[in-house]
Amino acid sequence: MADKGAHMSVAESSTMETRGPDSVEMALVVNGVSHVLDLEPRVSLLDALREHMALTGSKKGCDQGTCGACTVWVDGIRVLACLTLAVTCEGREVTTIEGLAEGDELHPMQRAFVEHDAFQCGYCTPGQIMSAVALLNEGHAGNDREIAEWMSGNICRCAAYPHIRSAIREVRGRKAGQ
């Protein structure tokens, strides 16, 4: 018979602290600002941003991870905030659409979206912009086909896709001409 101590349960061997189901204190760094929140561990990053930090730029579209309206970055990687638990973002840098601008100076992608009329109703625009900036940073904007593929997780119900690609191409061109 094996030694009982040699077989620990997953919960016993985990180095991650068990938290919940009641509210717990968690520290999130969003757009360079530290926030200490008291949330249930099941709260999504999107709900933490919108309902507890009043950062309403990221939109709740489908709440199922299929539309991309809630796209934000965690440690520079785009994620769907509706499918990401806030507690998993402790110790990581979260960036939202509100964190792109430098004071009153819009990010080049934000300016390009305005100049190219890359939005209609505007609901998907924050997620589109966050994905577009990430797309360029990832090096996935070689041509329109590649842009369309890497932006496919962001749905625009108004079908502003040609304008969105045009804005991305402009910013890509500016970066290449630096």
Side-chain angles (χ1 to χ4, degrees):
M1 180 174 217
D3 177 61
K4 185 171 178 143
H7 294 90
M8 298 170 65
S9 72
V10 173
E12 292 171 322
S13 65
S14 175
T15 58
M16 183 174 227
E17 175 186 350
T18 302
R19 300 170 84 180
D22 298 323
S23 294
V24 296
E25 189 174 276
M26 61 184 77
L28 299 175
V29 177
V30 180
N31 301 326
V33 177
S34 183
H35 300 266
V36 177
L37 304 170
D38 191 37
L39 301 173
E40 292 180 13
R42 65 187 175 116
V43 171
S44 71
L45 177 58
L46 181 61
D47 287 343
L49 293 169
R50 292 183 57 79
E51 298 172 16
H52 299 277
M53 291 182 245
L55 294 171
T56 57
S58 303
K59 303 300 186 220
K60 185 178 278 199
C62 65
D63 213 20
Q64 298 176 358
T66 58
C67 74
C70 65
T71 303
V72 298
W73 304 335
V74 177
D75 291 338
I77 306 297
R78 49 184 155 163
V79 301
L80 299 170
C82 73
L83 296 181
T84 305
L85 294 175
V87 71
T88 66
C89 296
E90 282 190 300
R92 303 171 80 191
E93 176 64 36
V94 176
T95 306
T96 68
I97 191 71
E98 292 92 345
L100 282 187
E102 294 285 334
D104 290 336
E105 183 68 26
L106 293 177
H107 184 279
M109 190 63 73
Q110 290 171 309
R111 281 195 311 274
F113 264 61
V114 171
E115 292 165 8
H116 290 269
D117 196 25
F119 54 91
Q120 297 293 311
C121 75
Y123 198 82
C124 71
T125 304
Q128 295 278 0
I129 290 172
M130 295 302 288
S131 281
V133 173
L135 165 95
L136 289 174
N137 291 341
E138 296 161 0
H140 297 300
N143 55 49
D144 277 5
R145 186 173 173 188
E146 187 177 26
I147 292 169
E149 175 66 26
W150 286 90
M151 290 292 292
S152 65
N154 292 82
I155 296 171
C156 175
R157 288 166 180 85
C158 301
Y161 299 115
H163 301 285
I164 292 167
R165 285 190 300 273
S166 179
I168 293 169
R169 283 192 310 269
E170 179 181 315
V171 176
R172 178 193 66 201
R174 284 188 208 157
K175 286 180 94 171
Q178 287 180 354

